[in-house]
Amino acid sequence: MPIDCKDCPGLCCRQMTKICPDYDNGKGVCKYLDENNKCSIYEDRPFICNTDTIYEKYFSNKYSIEQWQEINHNACQLLKDAYKEETNVQQ
């Protein structure tokens, strides 16, 4: 099952220092993440932000699409758990 990002607070996009430093706004957040936690350059987003393209180019010979989606889902869940923990600590 593909990752559903529609209700995500931009968790991947809040890891730019680690993922794509050129897109970091200086606070670790992607400079293209808008106030609604949506990518303002989605159609032209960087390669690293497109899991489908990464899969096709680098991982399709190692994983089935279902395995790849599970890997991404698990990574997303880890980010969600860390975000919940971080926001609970700050409150």
Side-chain angles (χ1 to χ4, degrees), residues 2 14 31 33 40 42 47 50 55 59 71-73 82 84 90:
R14 297 180 188 286
K31 62 186 177 183
L33 186 67
S40 64
Y42 186 80
F47 177 77
N50 190 327
Y55 172 73
F59 296 105
I71 289 167
N72 280 275
H73 176 77
K84 283 179 189 175
Q90 292 177 1

Side-chain angles (χ1 to χ4, degrees), residues 2-91:
I3 294 175
D4 181 5
C5 300
K6 71 178 179 191
D7 294 321
C8 179
L11 299 178
C12 292
C13 301
R14 297 180 188 286
Q15 304 295 318
M16 288 286 88
T17 303
K18 299 172 191 167
I19 296 172
C20 190
D22 292 342
Y23 287 77
D24 188 333
N25 70 358
K27 298 177 184 175
V29 177
C30 181
K31 62 186 177 183
Y32 296 108
L33 186 67
D34 71 18
E35 62 278 352
N36 296 312
N37 293 315
K38 302 292 179 202
C39 179
S40 64
I41 61 165
Y42 186 80
E43 294 303 320
D44 296 316
R45 66 194 183 276
F47 177 77
I48 193 69
C49 298
N50 190 327
T51 60
D52 293 334
T53 302
I54 292 172
Y55 172 73
E56 290 299 324
K57 187 163 184 166
Y58 295 109
F59 296 105
S60 61
N61 62 339
K62 297 178 183 182
Y63 303 108
S64 69
I65 188 65
E66 294 82 11
Q67 290 171 316
W68 178 247
Q69 289 171 343
E70 182 177 353
I71 289 167
N72 280 275
H73 176 77
N74 291 340
C76 184
Q77 190 59 53
L78 287 172
L79 285 172
K80 286 178 183 177
D81 292 346
Y83 180 74
K84 283 179 189 175
E85 186 175 309
E86 180 183 309
T87 56
N88 285 335
V89 169
Q90 292 177 1
Q91 294 178 359

